[in-house]
């Protein structure tokens, strides 16, 4: 296993790696909408937070020598599913067919009060 770490995505806020590569797969930890340049949320709204989560995943994938086009599976955690249609449209802009497998859940709370968190499995 090889840990992946990049300054172009937020540092882990606990005892975990940004991502771990094993074989031809990259397992990206749940990414919060933190702008790595400021250490703050990139946006106060869920749509902007989703964009930043995806940017963070893309930066980690790049650090591992791959990219979002090789995403196999994502898991999206939302604090409120009521805006799902708008978020789903934004998510769709990050990927092309065939789209990755995906799960999406509403949760009661996310770290640091985030509205969105996304994790991914990406082929290398």
């Amino acid at each position: 296993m090889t840990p992946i770490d990049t300054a172009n995505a937020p540092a882990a806020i606990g005892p975990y790696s940004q991502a771990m590569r094993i074989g031809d797969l990259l397992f990206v930890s749940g990414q919060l909408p933190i702008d790595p340049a400021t250490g703050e949320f990139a946006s106060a709204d869920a749509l902007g937070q989703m964009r930043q989560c995806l940017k963070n995943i893309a930066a980690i994938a790049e650090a591992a020598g791959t990219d979002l086009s090789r995403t196999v599976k994502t898991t999206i955690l939302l604090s409120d599913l009521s805006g799902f249609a708008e978020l789903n449209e934004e998510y769709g802009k990050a990927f092309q067919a065939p789209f990755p497998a995906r799960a999406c859940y509403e949760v009661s709370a996310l770290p640091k009060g985030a509205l969105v968190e996304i994790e991914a499995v990406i082929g290398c």
Side-chain angles (χ1 to χ4, degrees):
M1 291 190 305
T2 305
I4 303 299
D5 184 49
T6 178
N8 294 324
I13 58 172
Y16 61 89
S17 298
Q18 286 177 330
M20 291 295 288
R21 181 177 180 162
I22 185 162
D24 291 336
L25 292 175
L26 179 68
F27 294 84
V28 181
S29 293
Q31 292 301 300
L32 294 174
I34 297 171
D35 179 335
T38 66
E40 303 294 328
F41 285 165
S43 175
D45 66 87
L47 193 60
Q49 288 193 11
M50 174 168 278
R51 286 185 193 115
Q52 186 64 48
C53 291
L54 292 167
K55 284 181 189 177
N56 293 342
I57 292 170
I60 293 167
E62 183 178 322
T66 189
D67 60 60
L68 285 183
S69 72
R70 300 199 28 95
T71 303
V72 176
K73 166 96 169 52
T74 62
T75 302
I76 304 171
L77 306 172
L78 303 172
S79 64
D80 183 358
L81 272 174
S82 67
F84 178 75
E86 183 180 41
L87 292 170
N88 195 47
E89 184 177 328
E90 185 65 29
Y91 173 91
K93 294 175 185 177
F95 301 100
Q96 295 180 353
F99 296 102
R102 179 181 79 184
C104 183
Y105 304 98
E106 180 175 332
V107 297
S108 63
L110 290 166
K112 296 185 165 258
L115 303 175
V116 181
E117 181 176 357
I118 305 173
E119 67 177 20
V121 178
I122 302 172
C124 296

